[in-house]
Amino acid sequence: MDTKPVSFLNPKSLGAFEQLLNSGSSFVFFIVAARIYGSLEFSEFAVIFAAVQFIHTIVSMWICLPLLTFSHDLSFSKLKPDITKKVLCVYIFVPFFCIFYVFAFQALLDFTYKGVFSLIFAILVFNTFDLCKVILIRIGLMYQVLAAQILKWS
């Protein structure tokens, strides 16, 4: 039985390390934030972050997941028009969603116009980062994905 030595620099190992870094850093961030800011401020943050996660779920399921799973037989250049249309639809939808979300949770949060724009900005940045990460994974640039995750959490 031939056994090859496992290289930690292969794409599968890098992908697993990137996922560990992403999940672990996120977990540590939320624990530290909850301890630093207390329950009231952290609960306000959690309500806001729920909006970010809602849009992130739509982007993940509608754009990122098909890009990574169903499209390996297609070149990235053939997928680009479809991806562009979906990204534009989501990003046009984001401001309307944020306005609805702010009015729905108006009693829980003290939103100003600056808060609404901050929410829109957070959603766009968070999802753009993940979309770029998925595109880098799709074209096989795992070292860049790993570097981006390290920069994100540092």
Side-chain angles (χ1 to χ4, degrees), residues 129-145:
F129 176 83
D130 251 24
L131 182 61
C132 290
K133 183 179 85 168
V134 166
I135 290 171
L136 288 174
I137 291 169
R138 174 67 167 82
I139 59 178
L141 299 175
M142 284 305 298
Y143 291 109
Q144 288 80 350
V145 171

Side-chain angles (χ1 to χ4, degrees), residues 28-42:
V28 169
F29 169 78
F30 285 109
I31 296 295
V32 170
R35 293 207 181 256
I36 289 174
Y37 293 108
S39 60
L40 182 62
E41 287 86 5
F42 187 74

Side-chain angles (χ1 to χ4, degrees), residues 2 14 24 27 34 41 45 48 75-76 81 86 100 104 129:
D2 278 336
L14 287 175
F27 177 75
E41 287 86 5
F45 170 75
I48 293 169
S75 70
F76 188 72
K86 289 180 178 181
F100 168 76
F129 176 83

Side-chain angles (χ1 to χ4, degrees), residues 9 12 27 31 38 44 47 54-55 60-61 68 97 118 148:
L9 297 178
K12 288 182 182 178
F27 177 75
I31 296 295
E44 290 177 358
V47 170
F54 179 76
I55 298 296
S60 293
M61 296 302 129
L68 288 175
F97 169 76
S118 297

